[in-house]
Amino acid sequence: MNARKLLDNYCEEHILNREEILKLLSLPDYDIAALIESAHALRKKYKGNKVHIQLLTNVRSGNCSQDCAYCAQSCRSSADIEKYDRISDEQLFADDLLVKEHSLSRHCIGLSGIHFSDDEIAELAERIKTMKENGTHICCSIGFLTEKQAIMLKEAGLDRINHNLNSSLRFYPQICSTHTYEQRINNLRMLKSIGFELCCGGIIGMGESNEDIADMLLDIREISPESVPINFLLPIKGTRLGDGEHTPLSTAHCLKVLCTARLMLPRADIRCAAGREVYFSGSEDMLFKVVDSIFAQGYLTEKGQGINDTVALIRSLGYDTEIESEVH
Ligand code: SF4
């Protein structure tokens, strides 16, 4: 069955297989409207008219021992970024208050690095406890935790953990040599067994094939996270991917990935994370037909659009912004 026929006969109960996923990812651009409409029907059914907005605070920045090819925070990167071990309480708690005051969906906090001492996790847990007094929903993007450390954060009130697969098992060694894809999968399984909500997505535009995207999405579907952030590479000078040759992404390709993710995980938050302002500028109406979640500011080392402008954009397109307490 070709992709167009697949969409014409598509029903939600159908579990897309690898071959079908590949057909959707290679759909001709002139047929993309049918794919968007299929994704839009599911977006409307499960997410209504709401767009979740998140704010991201980078709690620890730079000096990471890992060599992820896209990342300005790697110690192998010469990108000109601000580096610090610990953001001030003042800044962190001010950001949390901003989340509360703007009724944003979630406060996402990120820490560079891959391994943490128990003392570092205990300190983070204390800061999470303080922020939870504001009633914000908190997601922490963090490397590999021991089970003991994960429980410490759970007991502090942390709601969700972000740990991305980033790409496929096959492609992963091309982007990172200091840890493995299997380690990421095992970490996610451990976090799920403890009862965390999971946020797990990937990065598009690193030189991967459609097969890699399909395999990554299949693994993400198996993990079944609450949230699936899809990042579109913003090549940063000083990183391996930023300095090399790269083929720019097209908006159509980005949309095909997001639509396919929506069809595969219809109930999950599908988030357009990094790259939204670049790859969807002027195409936000199509974007919001598919995704229900975006960042307003703080892509770790890249600036975002800002909260007020983001809210204004969403409202101008006829969507409401989400208040997390209505969901949880
Ligand atoms: S993506 Fe994470 S683990 Fe990889 S270099 Fe950046 S901060 Fe380190």
Side-chain angles (χ1 to χ4, degrees), residues 60 62-76 111-114 141-144 166 172 175-176 178-179 184 203 300:
R60 183 161 97 183
N63 297 321
C64 178
S65 61
Q66 305 299 295
D67 68 352
C68 306
Y70 52 86
C71 184
Q73 304 201 70
S74 164
C75 61
R76 320 272 171 102
L111 285 87
S112 62
I114 206 85
S141 181
I142 196 160
F144 300 126
N166 292 328
Y172 206 76
I175 56 166
C176 178
T178 45
H179 63 264
R184 287 191 169 260
I203 308 173
L300 297 177

Short mmCIF file of all heavy atoms in Angstrom, two decimals, residues 60 62-76 111-114 141-144 166 172 175-176 178-179 184 203 300, ligand 1:
data_model
loop_
_atom_site.label_atom_id
_atom_site.label_comp_id
_atom_site.label_asym_id
_atom_site.label_seq_id
_atom_site.Cartn_x
_atom_site.Cartn_y
_atom_site.Cartn_z
N ARG A 60 22.92 23.49 35.37
CA ARG A 60 24.38 23.35 35.26
C ARG A 60 24.74 23.41 33.78
O ARG A 60 24.10 22.73 32.96
CB ARG A 60 24.81 22.02 35.85
CG ARG A 60 26.32 21.82 35.85
CD ARG A 60 26.73 20.77 36.83
NE ARG A 60 26.90 19.48 36.20
CZ ARG A 60 27.21 18.39 36.87
NH1 ARG A 60 27.35 18.42 38.19
NH2 ARG A 60 27.37 17.26 36.25
N GLY A 62 27.69 23.39 30.63
CA GLY A 62 29.03 23.19 30.08
C GLY A 62 29.86 22.17 30.84
O GLY A 62 29.39 21.51 31.77
N ASN A 63 31.13 22.03 30.39
CA ASN A 63 32.12 21.16 31.03
C ASN A 63 31.69 19.70 31.13
O ASN A 63 32.08 19.01 32.07
CB ASN A 63 32.46 21.68 32.45
CG ASN A 63 33.07 23.05 32.41
OD1 ASN A 63 33.89 23.35 31.53
ND2 ASN A 63 32.67 23.92 33.34
N CYS A 64 30.92 19.25 30.18
CA CYS A 64 30.47 17.85 30.23
C CYS A 64 31.55 16.95 29.63
O CYS A 64 32.13 17.25 28.59
CB CYS A 64 29.16 17.68 29.47
SG CYS A 64 28.61 15.97 29.46
N SER A 65 31.78 15.82 30.28
CA SER A 65 32.84 14.88 29.85
C SER A 65 32.47 14.15 28.55
O SER A 65 33.32 13.52 27.94
CB SER A 65 33.05 13.84 30.94
OG SER A 65 31.84 13.12 31.15
N GLN A 66 31.21 14.21 28.14
CA GLN A 66 30.75 13.42 27.00
C GLN A 66 31.03 14.14 25.67
O GLN A 66 31.26 15.36 25.66
CB GLN A 66 29.26 13.12 27.14
CG GLN A 66 28.92 12.45 28.45
CD GLN A 66 29.61 11.10 28.61
OE1 GLN A 66 29.34 10.18 27.87
NE2 GLN A 66 30.52 10.99 29.58
N ASP A 67 30.99 13.38 24.58
CA ASP A 67 31.38 14.00 23.30
C ASP A 67 30.22 14.05 22.29
O ASP A 67 30.44 13.85 21.09
CB ASP A 67 32.60 13.28 22.70
CG ASP A 67 32.29 11.86 22.26
OD1 ASP A 67 31.16 11.37 22.55
OD2 ASP A 67 33.15 11.23 21.62
N CYS A 68 29.02 14.30 22.76
CA CYS A 68 27.87 14.38 21.85
C CYS A 68 28.14 15.45 20.78
O CYS A 68 28.42 16.61 21.11
CB CYS A 68 26.60 14.70 22.63
SG CYS A 68 26.32 13.53 23.98
N ALA A 69 28.04 15.04 19.52
CA ALA A 69 28.52 15.87 18.41
C ALA A 69 27.75 17.16 18.21
O ALA A 69 28.23 18.09 17.57
CB ALA A 69 28.47 15.05 17.12
N TYR A 70 26.52 17.22 18.72
CA TYR A 70 25.66 18.39 18.52
C TYR A 70 25.76 19.38 19.66
O TYR A 70 25.21 20.48 19.59
CB TYR A 70 24.20 17.92 18.41
CG TYR A 70 23.79 17.04 19.57
CD1 TYR A 70 23.33 17.59 20.75
CD2 TYR A 70 23.95 15.65 19.49
CE1 TYR A 70 23.01 16.78 21.84
CE2 TYR A 70 23.62 14.85 20.57
CZ TYR A 70 23.17 15.41 21.74
OH TYR A 70 22.87 14.61 22.81
N CYS A 71 26.44 19.00 20.76
CA CYS A 71 26.21 19.70 22.01
C CYS A 71 27.31 20.71 22.35
O CYS A 71 28.49 20.37 22.43
CB CYS A 71 26.08 18.69 23.14
SG CYS A 71 25.70 19.47 24.72
N ALA A 72 26.88 21.93 22.59
CA ALA A 72 27.82 23.00 22.94
C ALA A 72 28.34 22.85 24.36
O ALA A 72 29.29 23.51 24.76
CB ALA A 72 27.12 24.35 22.78
N GLN A 73 27.72 21.97 25.13
CA GLN A 73 28.13 21.82 26.53
C GLN A 73 29.21 20.75 26.72
O GLN A 73 29.74 20.57 27.82
CB GLN A 73 26.92 21.46 27.38
CG GLN A 73 25.81 22.48 27.24
CD GLN A 73 24.88 22.42 28.41
OE1 GLN A 73 25.23 22.80 29.52
NE2 GLN A 73 23.70 21.90 28.19
N SER A 74 29.50 20.01 25.64
CA SER A 74 30.55 19.00 25.70
C SER A 74 31.91 19.68 25.91
O SER A 74 32.17 20.74 25.34
CB SER A 74 30.56 18.23 24.38
OG SER A 74 31.75 17.51 24.25
N CYS A 75 32.79 19.02 26.67
CA CYS A 75 34.12 19.61 26.86
C CYS A 75 34.93 19.57 25.56
O CYS A 75 35.95 20.22 25.43
CB CYS A 75 34.85 18.95 28.01
SG CYS A 75 35.11 17.22 27.75
N ARG A 76 34.46 18.81 24.56
CA ARG A 76 35.14 18.80 23.25
C ARG A 76 34.70 19.97 22.38
O ARG A 76 35.25 20.16 21.30
CB ARG A 76 34.83 17.51 22.48
CG ARG A 76 34.81 16.25 23.30
CD ARG A 76 36.18 15.62 23.41
NE ARG A 76 36.14 14.52 24.38
CZ ARG A 76 36.10 13.25 24.08
NH1 ARG A 76 36.11 12.88 22.82
NH2 ARG A 76 36.08 12.33 25.02
N LEU A 111 20.57 19.71 33.43
CA LEU A 111 21.92 19.71 34.01
C LEU A 111 22.88 19.08 33.01
O LEU A 111 22.62 17.97 32.53
CB LEU A 111 21.98 18.89 35.30
CG LEU A 111 21.36 19.52 36.55
CD1 LEU A 111 19.89 19.20 36.62
CD2 LEU A 111 22.07 19.05 37.80
N SER A 112 23.95 19.78 32.69
CA SER A 112 24.96 19.17 31.82
C SER A 112 25.65 18.06 32.62
O SER A 112 25.66 18.06 33.85
CB SER A 112 25.97 20.21 31.36
OG SER A 112 26.65 20.75 32.48
N GLY A 113 26.25 17.14 31.88
CA GLY A 113 26.98 16.06 32.55
C GLY A 113 26.19 14.78 32.50
O GLY A 113 25.02 14.76 32.12
N ILE A 114 26.86 13.70 32.87
CA ILE A 114 26.23 12.40 32.69
C ILE A 114 26.15 11.62 34.00
O ILE A 114 25.23 10.84 34.20
CB ILE A 114 26.97 11.61 31.58
CG1 ILE A 114 26.06 10.59 30.91
CG2 ILE A 114 28.24 10.96 32.06
CD1 ILE A 114 25.23 11.13 29.82
N SER A 141 15.96 17.28 33.13
CA SER A 141 16.73 16.64 32.08
C SER A 141 18.12 16.34 32.64
O SER A 141 18.87 17.26 32.99
CB SER A 141 16.83 17.60 30.89
OG SER A 141 17.55 16.99 29.86
N ILE A 142 18.41 15.08 32.78
CA ILE A 142 19.62 14.71 33.52
C ILE A 142 20.19 13.43 32.92
O ILE A 142 19.49 12.69 32.24
CB ILE A 142 19.24 14.56 35.03
CG1 ILE A 142 20.47 14.55 35.92
CG2 ILE A 142 18.34 13.35 35.30
CD1 ILE A 142 20.17 14.88 37.39
N GLY A 143 21.47 13.19 33.16
CA GLY A 143 22.16 12.03 32.58
C GLY A 143 21.74 10.73 33.22
O GLY A 143 20.55 10.48 33.44
N PHE A 144 22.72 9.90 33.54
CA PHE A 144 22.42 8.59 34.10
C PHE A 144 22.38 8.68 35.62
O PHE A 144 23.35 9.14 36.24
CB PHE A 144 23.48 7.58 33.69
CG PHE A 144 23.60 7.41 32.20
CD1 PHE A 144 24.81 7.56 31.56
CD2 PHE A 144 22.47 7.12 31.43
CE1 PHE A 144 24.91 7.42 30.19
CE2 PHE A 144 22.56 6.98 30.06
CZ PHE A 144 23.79 7.13 29.44
N ASN A 166 17.72 10.41 21.29
CA ASN A 166 18.44 11.26 20.32
C ASN A 166 18.47 10.72 18.90
O ASN A 166 18.24 11.45 17.96
CB ASN A 166 19.86 11.57 20.78
CG ASN A 166 19.85 12.47 21.99
OD1 ASN A 166 18.95 13.29 22.12
ND2 ASN A 166 20.79 12.31 22.90
N TYR A 172 23.70 5.92 16.64
CA TYR A 172 24.19 6.56 17.87
C TYR A 172 25.73 6.68 17.95
O TYR A 172 26.24 7.74 18.33
CB TYR A 172 23.64 5.85 19.12
CG TYR A 172 23.58 6.81 20.28
CD1 TYR A 172 22.58 7.77 20.35
CD2 TYR A 172 24.58 6.81 21.26
CE1 TYR A 172 22.56 8.70 21.36
CE2 TYR A 172 24.55 7.74 22.28
CZ TYR A 172 23.54 8.68 22.32
OH TYR A 172 23.52 9.61 23.32
N ILE A 175 27.30 9.85 16.68
CA ILE A 175 27.15 11.14 17.36
C ILE A 175 27.75 11.14 18.76
O ILE A 175 27.96 12.19 19.35
CB ILE A 175 25.67 11.61 17.42
CG1 ILE A 175 24.78 10.55 18.07
CG2 ILE A 175 25.17 12.00 16.06
CD1 ILE A 175 23.42 11.09 18.45
N CYS A 176 28.06 9.96 19.28
CA CYS A 176 28.61 9.92 20.63
C CYS A 176 29.42 8.64 20.82
O CYS A 176 28.95 7.55 20.47
CB CYS A 176 27.46 9.97 21.64
SG CYS A 176 28.03 9.88 23.35
N THR A 178 31.17 8.24 23.95
CA THR A 178 31.50 8.14 25.39
C THR A 178 30.42 7.44 26.22
O THR A 178 30.62 7.17 27.40
CB THR A 178 31.78 9.55 25.96
OG1 THR A 178 30.78 10.44 25.48
CG2 THR A 178 33.14 10.04 25.56
N HIS A 179 29.27 7.22 25.63
CA HIS A 179 28.28 6.35 26.26
C HIS A 179 27.45 5.72 25.14
O HIS A 179 27.59 6.09 23.97
CB HIS A 179 27.40 7.09 27.28
CG HIS A 179 26.56 8.18 26.69
ND1 HIS A 179 26.93 9.51 26.68
CD2 HIS A 179 25.35 8.13 26.08
CE1 HIS A 179 26.00 10.23 26.08
NE2 HIS A 179 25.03 9.42 25.71
N ARG A 184 21.29 4.39 27.57
CA ARG A 184 20.13 5.30 27.62
C ARG A 184 18.83 4.50 27.81
O ARG A 184 17.97 4.86 28.61
CB ARG A 184 20.06 6.16 26.35
CG ARG A 184 21.15 7.22 26.34
CD ARG A 184 20.98 8.26 25.25
NE ARG A 184 21.91 9.35 25.50
CZ ARG A 184 21.60 10.50 26.08
NH1 ARG A 184 20.36 10.76 26.44
NH2 ARG A 184 22.53 11.42 26.30
N ILE A 203 16.71 14.04 18.17
CA ILE A 203 17.22 15.17 17.39
C ILE A 203 17.21 14.77 15.91
O ILE A 203 17.69 13.69 15.57
CB ILE A 203 18.65 15.55 17.80
CG1 ILE A 203 18.75 15.75 19.32
CG2 ILE A 203 19.11 16.80 17.05
CD1 ILE A 203 20.17 15.96 19.82
N LEU A 300 18.70 25.50 26.43
CA LEU A 300 20.01 25.24 27.02
C LEU A 300 21.01 26.31 26.59
O LEU A 300 21.24 27.24 27.32
CB LEU A 300 20.48 23.82 26.71
CG LEU A 300 19.57 22.76 27.34
CD1 LEU A 300 20.02 21.35 26.97
CD2 LEU A 300 19.51 22.89 28.86
S1 SF4 B 1 24.13 16.17 25.42
FE1 SF4 B 1 24.31 15.93 27.64
S2 SF4 B 1 25.72 14.23 27.86
FE2 SF4 B 1 25.97 14.94 25.75
S3 SF4 B 1 27.65 16.46 25.85
FE3 SF4 B 1 25.74 17.59 26.09
S4 SF4 B 1 25.45 17.76 28.30
FE4 SF4 B 1 26.93 16.12 27.94
#
